[in-house]
Amino acid sequence: MLARQRQDFIMDLVTRNGGVRVAEVVEALGISEMTVRRDITELVSAGLVERVHGGAVAAGPSSMEPRFATKSEQHTNEKRQIALAAAKLVRPQDSLALSGGTTTLAVARALTELEHFPTLTIITNSLPAANLLFDAADTAREQGHPAPTVILIGGERTPSAALVGLTGIDALSSLRVEWSFMGTHAFDARVGLMTPNLSEAATNRALVRCARTTVAVMDVSKWDALGLQCFCSLDDLDVLITDRSPEPQTVAHLEDHGITLTIAD
């Protein structure tokens, strides 16, 4: 393939998935890592992508927040598998919190498939997740079955369809749950979970604080990406569920912090 064709292929993956790893280009095109890295270097020079450890992500400021509709079309199969792995952690009678995001929306959908779904108490600041859960609860009641307790905290709506701000933070300060399932815009093994929205970062920190166990749910495009502010350091994270194993040094870093890594496949 010509360099332009290879670079167009890389840009197509970045556009559709938000990022690309060197290894997946090597496997797809049957070329060397050196060639892929050289192509990424040219794309970086053109301002089209940003280099990250092991690959590249879409170029853009750390404060840029994608729309929910855009993110909902990316990595749908991976998010489904991650969500199923996350739902398996939830036991009958558990209380849990869901942050905003498309992966946590997939978790909400997976929760509705649990046999003990009616016994759960679910708190969320995600409008799409709340709507899905409310509809599932209403359907259960109409059929004469028990329904879960679903609580939507208030706040100001973000581009990612989450409610954030002091209203939600105040509500969360008096709540305690077994689990917080946290979506994220970006993850760095030296920093933690990040978001481009400062108000969302504050609300997410409140979601983390109210939980006994914090679970990050994220697909491979979030690895080594960049967000404006960290809302959950590795010291506050207990479980990380993703769709592909990270670099060995990142795995070792997670182990050093006592974080359970689950690869949903």
Side-chain angles (χ1 to χ4, degrees), residues 73-94:
E73 298 175 357
Q74 300 172 348
H75 300 279
T76 54
N77 290 333
E78 291 86 347
K79 290 172 183 175
R80 168 68 174 165
Q81 295 304 315
I82 292 168
L84 291 173
K88 289 180 181 178
L89 298 174
V90 179
R91 302 154 302 196
Q93 308 293 333
D94 271 356

Side-chain angles (χ1 to χ4, degrees), residues 173-232:
S173 66
S174 62
L175 299 175
R176 294 294 180 268
V177 295
E178 275 81 24
W179 310 92
S180 274
F181 292 97
M182 306 300 300
T184 186
H185 175 80
F187 175 82
D188 188 299
R190 298 160 298 179
V191 179
L193 309 180
M194 293 172 283
T195 175
N197 188 306
L198 295 180
S199 293
E200 186 164 31
T203 305
N204 282 353
R205 281 194 289 272
L207 285 165
V208 170
R209 286 195 299 268
C210 77
R212 179 178 296 165
T213 303
T214 299
V215 183
V217 288
M218 61 184 204
D219 61 72
V220 70
S221 70
K222 310 301 173 62
W223 289 98
D224 298 317
L226 183 65
L228 186 62
Q229 189 172 78
C230 173
F231 62 84
C232 180

Side-chain angles (χ1 to χ4, degrees), residues 6 41 55 57 65 82 102 108 110 132 145 147 155-156 161 168-169 175 208 219 230 238 255:
R6 296 193 306 267
T41 297
V57 296
E65 184 174 6
I82 292 168
T102 53
L132 185 150
H145 301 310
E156 180 181 354
I169 293 171
L175 299 175
V208 170
D219 61 72
C230 173
D238 300 294
E255 290 176 350

Side-chain angles (χ1 to χ4, degrees), residues 7-252:
Q7 291 166 18
D8 285 345
F9 178 80
I10 292 170
M11 284 305 305
D12 181 60
L13 289 177
V14 170
T15 300
R16 286 191 287 114
N17 301 329
V20 65
R21 287 199 167 272
V22 171
E24 66 181 307
V25 181
V26 169
E27 182 179 352
L29 301 184
I31 56 179
S32 69
E33 285 193 14
M34 183 178 297
T35 299
V36 178
R37 295 186 189 280
R38 187 164 57 242
D39 286 335
I40 288 176
T41 297
E42 293 188 18
L43 293 171
V44 170
S45 299
L48 297 175
V49 301
E50 294 178 4
R51 189 188 304 277
V52 296
H53 182 69
V57 296
S62 61
S63 61
M64 184 177 68
E65 184 174 6
R67 308 292 297 187
F68 187 88
T70 300
K71 295 189 293 182
S72 65
E73 298 175 357
Q74 300 172 348
H75 300 279
T76 54
N77 290 333
E78 291 86 347
K79 290 172 183 175
R80 168 68 174 165
Q81 295 304 315
I82 292 168
L84 291 173
K88 289 180 181 178
L89 298 174
V90 179
R91 302 154 302 196
Q93 308 293 333
D94 271 356
S95 58
L96 59 114
L98 297 174
S99 75
T102 53
T103 308
T104 47
L105 175 60
V107 174
R109 186 172 290 109
L111 291 174
T112 67
E113 300 171 12
L114 294 175
E115 185 176 353
H116 52 274
F117 173 63
T119 73
L120 304 179
T121 298
I122 307 169
I123 300 163
T124 187
N125 68 325
S126 166
L127 288 169
N131 288 333
L132 185 150
L133 293 166
F134 283 139
D135 287 345
D138 285 344
T139 298
R141 293 189 189 96
E142 289 170 0
Q143 296 174 349
H145 301 310
T149 299
V150 181
I151 301 169
L152 175 64
I153 66 169
E156 180 181 354
R157 186 183 185 278
T158 70
S160 58
L163 299 179
V164 301
L166 290 176
T167 303
I169 293 171
D170 286 345
L172 290 166
S173 66
S174 62
L175 299 175
R176 294 294 180 268
V177 295
E178 275 81 24
W179 310 92
S180 274
F181 292 97
M182 306 300 300
T184 186
H185 175 80
F187 175 82
D188 188 299
R190 298 160 298 179
V191 179
L193 309 180
M194 293 172 283
T195 175
N197 188 306
L198 295 180
S199 293
E200 186 164 31
T203 305
N204 282 353
R205 281 194 289 272
L207 285 165
V208 170
R209 286 195 299 268
C210 77
R212 179 178 296 165
T213 303
T214 299
V215 183
V217 288
M218 61 184 204
D219 61 72
V220 70
S221 70
K222 310 301 173 62
W223 289 98
D224 298 317
L226 183 65
L228 186 62
Q229 189 172 78
C230 173
F231 62 84
C232 180
S233 70
L234 265 63
D235 290 333
D236 295 322
L237 186 61
D238 300 294
V239 181
L240 192 156
I241 304 176
T242 187
D243 59 305
R244 195 177 306 172
S245 183
E247 303 291 334
Q249 60 199 34
T250 300
V251 174

